[in-house]
Structures are given as C-alpha cells and as structure tokens.
Amino acid sequence: APFMTLVYFTTMKLMADIMAGLYPARASLRKLWARATHSAKTKFLPTMMACYMIWPLAHIVNFALVPSDFRILYINCVSILWMAILSARASSSVGDPMLSVDESGGGNGADGGDSGAAAAVAMPTFVSLDLVHDPIMLTI
C-alpha cells in the first residue's frame, strides 16, 4: 500500500498539472516533477494514517460480523469509500506548493532578489471528522 500510494499521488499531480497546462515547456519538466513529488510527500503520511485506521477495522468487522455470503460486497463498499478518500486527498491543495511559480528562478523584486517572493505559510495542525466536507482528513 505505501508504494502505490506514493505512485498514485505523484501520477495524479503530474496529470493534473499537465492537463491544466501549467508546465507546457520542456525546460520546466523538473519543476513539474518537483511539484508532483512534493505533493506526494506531503499527502503520504496523513493518507497512510487514515489507511491504517480504516482497513484493519474494516477487516475485523468483515471476518467477525459479516456473513460469508456478503463479505466481498462489504469489502467492495469499503473500497468505494477508500477511493473517495484518496480522490479527495489527491484533489486537495493542502500541502501543495504555490500555484504561481517563478520560472526564472529569481525573485520578483526590481533588484532581482526575493523581495517580491511569497513567504512560506505554516499549515495549522488539525483533526477533522466532518465526513461530509472532509472525509477523515487527518493532518498532524
């Protein structure tokens, strides 16, 4: 699960950026790859924490309570829920680098420095269990 989770987030970010036309030039392929891997790295730990909260419990319920005739149906329903969680995490912009990237590598100031560059903003730590808007999003 961990390896494929990284592959999933990386490819989803690559495809989203390519389809959005953010990096059409060949010279910016490194930035495209850097954005995709950064996105995967920032979303990996919270996603794996949610994975290890959902799947062991789902299998305990499956083998302890669900009749054998309905086990595959039950796991398929849990899988649909898990795919919804992955999709919501992949499309969220939490932890992504800024959308406006300075292509020249320099700052936006008149002196060529970084006086116009945006400062990094620390993301708050929160635990949300609002299943309607934020399905089991855990950012710790």
Side-chain angles (χ1 to χ4, degrees):
F3 176 72
M4 290 310 293
T5 300
L6 285 173
V7 169
Y8 174 78
F9 283 131
T10 304
T11 55
M12 291 301 290
K13 185 65 176 171
L14 281 171
M15 290 189 294
D17 285 353
I18 289 170
M19 293 303 291
L22 292 179
Y23 295 101
R26 181 173 170 81
S28 61
L29 287 177
R30 282 191 181 166
K31 289 186 180 184
L32 179 67
W33 180 253
R35 276 177 53 95
T37 55
H38 180 267
S39 176
K41 287 176 187 177
T42 57
K43 295 175 182 179
F44 176 74
L45 185 60
T47 302
M48 291 310 298
M49 288 175 58
C51 175
Y52 292 134
M53 286 173 35
I54 292 172
W55 284 108
L57 180 62
H59 286 297
I60 289 171
V61 169
N62 188 29
F63 292 116
L65 302 175
V66 177
S68 60
D69 293 343
F70 298 110
R71 287 184 179 164
I72 294 174
L73 177 64
Y74 169 76
I75 288 297
N76 285 340
C77 292
V78 174
S79 295
I80 290 171
L81 172 69
W82 180 244
M83 288 295 118
I85 292 169
L86 279 180
S87 178
R89 287 183 186 270
S91 64
S92 75
S93 61
V94 174
D96 282 346
M98 295 183 306
L99 290 177
S100 60
V101 177
D102 185 12
E103 295 291 334
S104 65
N108 296 336
D111 59 350
D114 60 348
S115 60
V121 177
M123 296 302 295
T125 300
F126 66 92
V127 175
S128 174
L129 293 177
D130 181 10
L131 296 177
V132 175
H133 299 100
D134 212 13
I136 310 176
M137 293 292 192
L138 297 174
T139 303
I140 297 177

